[in-house]
Amino acid sequence: MQKQVEYAEAIKTKYPEQVVIAIAKDKDGKANPVTLGWTMIVSGAPPMMAIAVAKKHYSIQTIRHSKCFTIAFPSAQMADAALFFGSRSGRDVDKFAEFECETAPANEIDSVLLADAVANFECTLHSEAEAGDHIIFVGKVVCSHTNTEPKKRLYTVGPGHKLGSAS
Amino acid sequence: MQKQVEYAEAIKTKYPEQVVIAIAKDKDGKANPVTLGWTMIVSGAPPMMAIAVAKKHYSIQTIRHSKCFTIAFPSAQMADAALFFGSRSGRDVDKFAEFECETAPANEIDSVLLADAVANFECTLHSEAEAGDHIIFVGKVVCSHTNTEPKKRLYTVGPGHKLGSAS
């Protein structure tokens, strides 16, 4: 049976929620990673993925500048990196300089991959749309990569940025 | 270390993937549920959610007609309903007539809630955008509900529509 509640209460039932790290270069060529929980696949053929990025985030500028971005699925071992990339702003710091996280150049776009991620998807920017306090960026996947070792994906498993695996 | 692979191979790393059931009424007033894995929250204030619906699906017409829809988080016990609602078309059948699944009227929109779901979110249609073979519908959450009993959310836990809980 259902009971009406405040949205803030109801949305606590969303966990576990997948985590991705989106990466785009800014106008100075600095690759800027940001941790996001709001993401989905949006097309099968051609393959496309979407992310929702808070309007105040520096990543808005980096994605608009680059017109491309990487979507990485961090592994369950990458919780510390995900927390760091999600809690600092690329306006103030060079996140990859401050937090050790191995990267590799992307093949088809001007971005980087996360070497230890479960998978990386290189996306060209297809479109953007405004939605409340976020911008939805839709990317077309032009190149895909997986880890040579089997890894579990990282999830937010409960309120307060509690991270872990989900299976 | 990363290796380049086909997208179809890389995307197999996405599991577990959340499942929602979106419901909208058609022009005859028939509530039509569809099971979707491609969904995300897109705004915190105001609360908004998005779903990606295949262009060929009847739900495209029902959502455009109603200009509103419910997003339900099915419980882990609702796997059979999720499979049924995801494998039949509302063009051919009245899914709620053919598969027993208790509903309740929505409060703020002309749609229904799933009584046994973990949570239900009533959405008014904010916008839509084309993305490859799908349409992204963005809804503004105008009323929220949770189950009076604690329930676990349903997830797709592996390829081939393998469903279960994820924590």
Side-chain angles (χ1 to χ4, degrees):
Chain A
M1 201 177 79
Q2 299 291 304
K3 63 172 175 186
Q4 189 179 332
V5 297
E6 292 297 318
Y7 172 79
E9 184 63 27
I11 202 59
K12 287 180 187 164
T13 63
K14 71 177 177 174
Y15 302 104
E17 182 177 62
Q18 74 285 356
V19 171
V20 301
I21 296 173
I23 309 159
K25 289 189 178 177
D26 69 10
K27 61 181 170 41
D28 300 319
K30 180 181 76 178
N32 183 62
V34 65
T35 306
L36 304 169
W38 298 357
T39 181
M40 63 176 174
I41 304 166
V42 292
S43 175
M48 299 171 83
M49 292 180 173
I51 51 176
V53 182
K55 285 178 179 173
K56 63 184 178 187
H57 280 186
Y58 186 58
S59 296
I60 299 284
Q61 292 167 241
T62 65
I63 294 169
R64 285 178 175 164
H65 169 76
S66 291
K67 296 184 171 53
C68 62
F69 53 93
T70 306
I71 293 180
F73 290 175
S75 73
Q77 290 77 37
M78 293 171 68
D80 290 345
L83 282 171
F84 184 84
F85 297 154
S87 59
R88 306 294 294 273
S89 173
R91 276 191 198 90
D92 310 319
V93 296
D94 180 340
K95 298 187 200 181
F96 281 130
E98 296 219 359
F99 194 99
E100 191 174 323
C101 181
E102 193 184 343
T103 61
N107 286 357
E108 301 290 339
I109 64 172
D110 185 19
S111 183
V112 300
L113 314 176
L114 299 186
D116 295 325
V118 176
N120 286 270
F121 300 90
E122 302 181 21
C123 301
T124 55
L125 182 60
H126 169 267
S127 58
E128 65 167 80
E130 190 168 358
D133 53 16
H134 280 59
I135 301 290
I136 300 171
F137 291 106
V138 175
K140 185 176 168 189
V141 180
V142 294
C143 194
S144 305
H145 311 259
T146 55
N147 203 301
T148 53
E149 308 280 329
K151 303 253 184 193
K152 286 196 169 189
R153 249 188 109 169
L154 182 71
Y155 286 78
T156 305
V157 295
H161 304 297
K162 191 178 166 198
L163 298 170
S165 65
S167 59
Chain B
M1 200 177 81
Q2 300 291 304
K3 63 173 175 185
Q4 188 179 333
V5 297
E6 292 297 318
Y7 172 79
E9 183 64 28
I11 203 60
K12 287 181 187 163
T13 62
K14 71 176 177 175
Y15 301 104
E17 182 177 61
Q18 75 285 354
V19 171
V20 301
I21 296 173
I23 309 160
K25 288 190 179 177
D26 67 11
K27 61 180 169 42
D28 300 319
K30 181 181 76 179
N32 184 60
V34 65
T35 307
L36 304 169
W38 299 356
T39 182
M40 63 175 173
I41 304 165
V42 292
S43 176
M48 300 171 82
M49 293 180 171
I51 52 176
V53 181
K55 285 179 179 173
K56 63 184 178 188
H57 280 187
Y58 187 57
S59 296
I60 299 284
Q61 292 167 241
T62 67
I63 294 170
R64 285 178 176 164
H65 169 75
S66 291
K67 296 185 172 50
C68 62
F69 53 92
T70 306
I71 293 180
F73 291 175
S75 73
Q77 290 78 36
M78 293 171 68
D80 289 345
L83 282 172
F84 184 85
F85 297 155
S87 59
R88 304 295 293 275
S89 172
R91 275 191 200 91
D92 310 319
V93 296
D94 181 340
K95 298 187 199 179
F96 281 130
E98 295 218 0
F99 194 99
E100 191 175 322
C101 182
E102 194 184 343
T103 61
N107 287 357
E108 301 290 339
I109 64 171
D110 185 18
S111 183
V112 299
L113 314 176
L114 298 187
D116 295 325
V118 176
N120 285 270
F121 300 89
E122 301 182 21
C123 300
T124 55
L125 182 60
H126 169 269
S127 58
E128 65 167 81
E130 191 169 358
D133 52 17
H134 281 59
I135 301 289
I136 300 171
F137 291 106
V138 176
K140 186 176 167 189
V141 180
V142 294
C143 195
S144 305
H145 311 260
T146 55
N147 203 299
T148 52
E149 307 280 329
K151 304 252 184 194
K152 287 195 169 190
R153 249 187 109 171
L154 183 70
Y155 287 79
T156 305
V157 295
H161 304 296
K162 192 178 166 198
L163 298 170
S165 65
S167 57

